[in-house]
Amino acid sequence: MNRPGWWFIFKGHQLLTQDDRGEMSVPLMRDMEELRLSPLGIQPIGRIDDAQCYVADLPEDSEAPQGMAFRGLRGIFGSLDEDMYAMAIKALGIVNWDRTSRFCSQCGAKIERKPYIIGKECSQCGFISFPRISPAVIVLVERDDSALLARAGRFKGNLYSVIAGFVEPGETLEETVRREVKEETGIEVKDIRYFGSQPWPFPDSLMIGFTARYAGGEITIDGEEIIDARWFHVGNLPEIPGKISIARSLIDWFIEKNSQKGGTGK
Ligand SMILES: [Zn+2]
């Protein structure tokens, strides 16, 4: 290892960061001996410009070196630059995968990381496995200038968000959107449109965002997973998710769209 690279070093789900007068980054160095840390494993994960990036996994009892701290990825959104944050998300996905895939699912032997691809190969039977990525849809449903937002029992505070749920085997994404909105709120939707996507490595999701329009039905909730759902007027929104999430991007899109309408008098 000749040139310094960016090191994404995790303890649990927390990333080792340094804060240099308000500029947050991960360590730039040749190897981990520079920090006197002993990782459980190291893997190359890609490049930012010309610099190689690595991910390393530390034991739970590791201490942060002087001037550095372990921080949760949600908390540092907006503090790391965009490329570095995206790499941190990827790094956490890979570290999660590495921790939870040590043995072959076919024969039970130990598996090892393959060079050049993000996969592991069994030393006994040759079976190759890849990181698990679980697709989930997330959808903002509009009805005129109101949006359908729901409050899940697991949400903190008084937060409401858009509808989301995991894709089931055999479903198209559009079918998942229709099923999830119907199951969680009793509402039927139409005009389902792709919005964008976001990797969400807590632990292994890919969130696929959509917008849709109200087609029929009255709000009914199960009272368990979802404890409330309502149409919120754009001028009277409740507490909504933070900037990191695609849920928030969907709601911001909805606000922006409706404020433009209001602004031009249409
Ligand atoms: Zn095997």
Side-chain angles (χ1 to χ4, degrees):
M1 243 178 283
N2 297 320
R3 301 174 60 190
W6 297 109
W7 286 75
F8 295 81
I9 303 167
F10 285 91
K11 181 172 82 166
H13 284 173
Q14 296 201 306
L15 177 67
L16 185 66
T17 55
Q18 54 196 12
D19 196 343
D20 185 14
R21 280 168 278 171
E23 288 277 304
M24 193 178 287
S25 71
V26 300
L28 180 68
M29 56 190 184
R30 287 193 170 76
D31 62 54
M32 284 192 59
E33 280 169 30
E34 292 182 31
L35 292 176
R36 298 169 201 275
L37 289 170
S38 312
L40 300 166
I42 293 176
Q43 304 188 56
I45 51 166
R47 288 176 169 275
I48 296 177
D49 299 327
D50 285 340
Q52 179 67 49
C53 301
Y54 302 90
V55 62
D57 193 13
L58 290 178
E60 277 299 327
D61 59 357
S62 306
E63 304 261 353
Q66 184 100 40
M68 297 189 181
F70 290 105
R71 294 182 171 96
L73 290 190
R74 285 187 176 95
I76 59 173
F77 178 73
S79 303
L80 282 183
D81 89 32
E82 223 170 273
D83 289 351
M84 204 171 276
Y85 193 82
M87 191 62 79
I89 293 278
K90 177 178 181 179
L92 178 58
I94 289 175
V95 116
N96 278 335
W97 166 61
D98 192 44
R99 287 170 187 156
T100 55
S101 64
R102 296 277 152 91
F103 300 98
C104 178
S105 61
Q106 301 294 306
C107 76
K110 261 195 117 164
I111 56 178
E112 300 291 343
R113 175 78 194 265
K114 269 181 86 70
Y116 310 116
I117 62 166
I118 297 178
K120 292 188 183 185
E121 186 167 22
C122 176
S123 52
Q124 293 297 312
C125 76
F127 181 74
I128 298 175
S129 56
F130 297 93
R132 185 180 67 181
I133 299 171
S134 306
V137 301
I138 184 159
V139 54
L140 183 136
V141 182
E142 297 175 273
R143 184 180 191 176
D144 302 322
D145 46 8
S146 293
L148 179 63
L149 302 179
R151 178 160 165 65
R154 65 193 155 77
F155 286 177
K156 291 178 188 143
N158 201 28
L159 187 78
Y160 282 75
S161 189
V162 292
I163 309 299
F166 286 102
V167 179
E168 293 182 351
E171 272 183 335
T172 65
L173 299 174
E174 291 81 358
E175 285 166 348
T176 312
V177 166
R178 278 190 213 99
R179 177 181 55 76
E180 282 291 337
V181 176
K182 178 81 179 165
E183 279 176 6
E184 297 201 349
T185 66
I187 296 297
E188 314 262 359
V189 297
K190 61 182 179 184
D191 297 341
I192 298 167
R193 298 237 158 91
Y194 178 68
F195 176 82
S197 63
Q198 179 184 43
W200 192 249
F202 309 106
D204 57 23
S205 305
L206 174 66
M207 306 300 292
I208 305 149
F210 293 89
T211 61
R213 292 202 302 135
Y214 173 76
E218 293 296 322
I219 291 178
T220 46
I221 51 161
D222 63 13
E224 288 179 14
E225 191 191 346
I226 300 292
I227 55 175
D228 191 22
R230 296 183 211 172
W231 295 105
F232 286 95
H233 186 264
V234 65
N236 190 29
L237 292 172
E239 185 184 329
I240 53 176
K243 289 278 184 194
I244 179 176
S245 62
I246 190 167
R248 177 59 174 269
S249 304
L250 279 160
I251 296 170
D252 285 349
W253 168 85
F254 167 74
I255 295 170
E256 172 77 6
K257 178 181 159 187
N258 282 285
S259 69
Q260 279 173 358
K261 263 197 290 188
T264 57
K266 281 177 197 160

